[in-house]
Amino acid sequence: MLMPMKDILIHAQKNDYAVVAANCNNEDTVRACIEAAVENRSPIILNIGYGANCMQYDHKLGKLVGDNFDDVPELMVFFGRMCEYLADKADVPVAINLDHGAEFAHAIWAIRSGYTSIMIDRSMLPFEENVAQVKELVKIAHAVNVSVEAELGHVGWGSRYETDRDAHLTDPDEAAEFVRLTGCDALAVAIGTAHGEYNQTPYIDFERLEKIRAAVDVPLVLHGGSGTGKENLYKAARSGICKVNIGTDLYKAGAKAWNDEKCEFAGNGYILAKRGYKNCLISYMEILGSCGRY
Ligand SMILES: [Zn+2]
């Protein structure tokens, strides 16, 4: 069943586990998420970036580009309806979340597309500006029962881990003030994880997480779950983190399954990729403790 993300995260918070927010970019990945959730009696969050529906191969540049946003709203509504349809048929909780909403219009399009949550990422703006923009969207989203995730501190990139790691860690007191001022439903925190692939082993500041948890009421979110390590994630999920974003590892597992496994009909590669993605997702659900909850 389709639910506001807030309801899913509150259940996780009360019961000391975390839910995977799995990056999805096509029907196969959405179906993999929902099948994994239903088969394992786990909640799931479909995590969809604004540009996820518009990745195109640019022949002139010879690479994939994701910033051709002209057709996004139409594609987003289409994709959102598909997610809604599949989520409604599932008998476990499913939320559809806009990942890293960067502009006001992106958030509004997500709400129009049936998303039950929007993440508003203004983490690189000064504190007051971050508060003002999140607060405005909280008012709009809450009016139609859509949840809001915000970010304080800033989670950078694993490829620049040495410089990004300590640059914008979340301050516990500021976090408490931020949540009070904005009324957001969930808060993404910077405690040592990074997006993409790490160029070294990540080290997580669990002491900081403990302080943030003590200061903040709302469920906490960890971005950059891929490559963070089983032990770190296991511990984080029992220390106040209620949502863990996973993208890179799922996509890599899908690509590996397609490449490694033999199939007689080439078109079945998609099925193998979906299975690889799904199996990887289930292993993360097990680490985070979300299986058997519904
Ligand atoms: Zn992120």
Side-chain angles (χ1 to χ4, degrees):
M1 62 288 266
L2 189 60
M3 282 172 68
M5 190 170 80
K6 179 186 176 181
D7 298 354
I8 291 176
L9 296 186
I10 292 288
H11 186 271
Q13 189 182 39
K14 281 187 185 150
N15 295 285
D16 262 336
Y17 70 94
V19 183
V20 181
N23 282 111
C24 304
N25 62 359
N26 62 13
E27 182 181 340
D28 278 346
T29 47
V30 172
R31 284 186 183 274
C33 285
I34 292 179
E35 284 173 19
V38 169
E39 287 163 20
N40 291 280
R41 312 311 304 160
S42 166
I44 185 75
I45 296 161
L46 308 175
N47 209 36
I48 302 162
Y50 183 73
N53 308 142
C54 69
M55 290 299 286
Q56 291 175 4
Y57 192 82
D58 187 315
H59 289 276
K60 277 185 195 155
L61 294 173
K63 63 175 185 180
L64 280 169
V65 290
D67 55 358
N68 179 12
F69 283 168
D70 294 351
D71 299 330
V72 170
E74 191 188 331
L75 293 169
M76 197 172 186
V77 174
F78 172 76
F79 196 74
R81 295 284 172 267
M82 189 262 298
C83 292
E84 268 186 315
Y85 174 78
L86 294 173
D88 271 337
K89 288 205 300 184
D91 60 355
V92 292
V94 180
I96 310 172
N97 178 50
L98 173 69
D99 193 25
H100 290 283
E103 289 180 23
F104 182 84
H106 297 183
I108 302 302
W109 273 112
I111 293 171
R112 279 196 68 177
S113 303
Y115 288 37
T116 59
S117 171
I118 49 176
M119 188 226 170
I120 310 302
D121 182 0
R122 303 292 183 272
S123 59
M124 287 308 276
L125 293 179
F127 183 86
E128 289 74 19
E129 196 53 32
N130 189 349
V131 167
Q133 293 196 21
V134 170
K135 197 175 167 183
E136 181 182 30
L137 279 159
V138 164
K139 189 178 176 190
I140 293 165
H142 283 183
V144 287
N145 204 20
V146 167
S147 313
V148 175
E149 173 189 339
E151 178 169 330
L152 188 70
H154 179 72
V155 178
W157 287 91
S159 54
R160 300 192 300 259
Y161 195 63
E162 274 159 48
T163 48
D164 278 11
R165 197 266 179 199
D166 295 332
H168 305 282
L169 294 172
T170 306
D171 177 85
D173 294 334
E174 269 192 7
E177 182 71 352
F178 183 85
V179 170
R180 192 182 66 77
L181 291 171
T182 60
C184 66
D185 302 295
L187 185 69
V189 293
I191 54 168
T193 55
H195 293 107
E197 292 187 64
Y198 294 95
N199 59 12
Q200 64 181 87
T201 313
Y203 47 108
I204 310 301
D205 190 342
F206 282 104
E207 216 173 291
R208 185 179 294 272
L209 175 58
E210 207 175 293
K211 285 180 188 157
I212 299 169
R213 185 192 199 181
V216 172
D217 292 339
V218 298
L220 303 175
V221 177
L222 196 67
H223 282 237
S226 291
T228 296
K230 192 175 173 176
E231 278 180 28
N232 279 334
L233 292 182
Y234 182 91
K235 196 172 165 185
R238 279 106 189 141
S239 310
I241 294 294
C242 303
K243 167 178 179 271
V244 176
N245 287 20
I246 314 266
T248 302
D249 281 357
L250 302 178
Y251 291 137
K252 278 170 71 179
K256 188 173 188 312
W258 185 324
N259 286 329
D260 291 358
E261 294 178 41
K262 287 197 169 61
C263 53
E264 284 178 11
F265 173 55
N268 287 343
Y270 289 102
I271 296 167
L272 297 178
K274 180 184 159 201
R275 198 176 65 190
Y277 175 106
K278 181 177 160 185
N279 287 341
C280 181
L281 171 58
I282 292 169
S283 72
Y284 274 111
M285 287 173 162
E286 286 167 352
I287 293 167
L288 300 181
S290 71
C291 299
R293 299 286 179 174
Y294 287 90

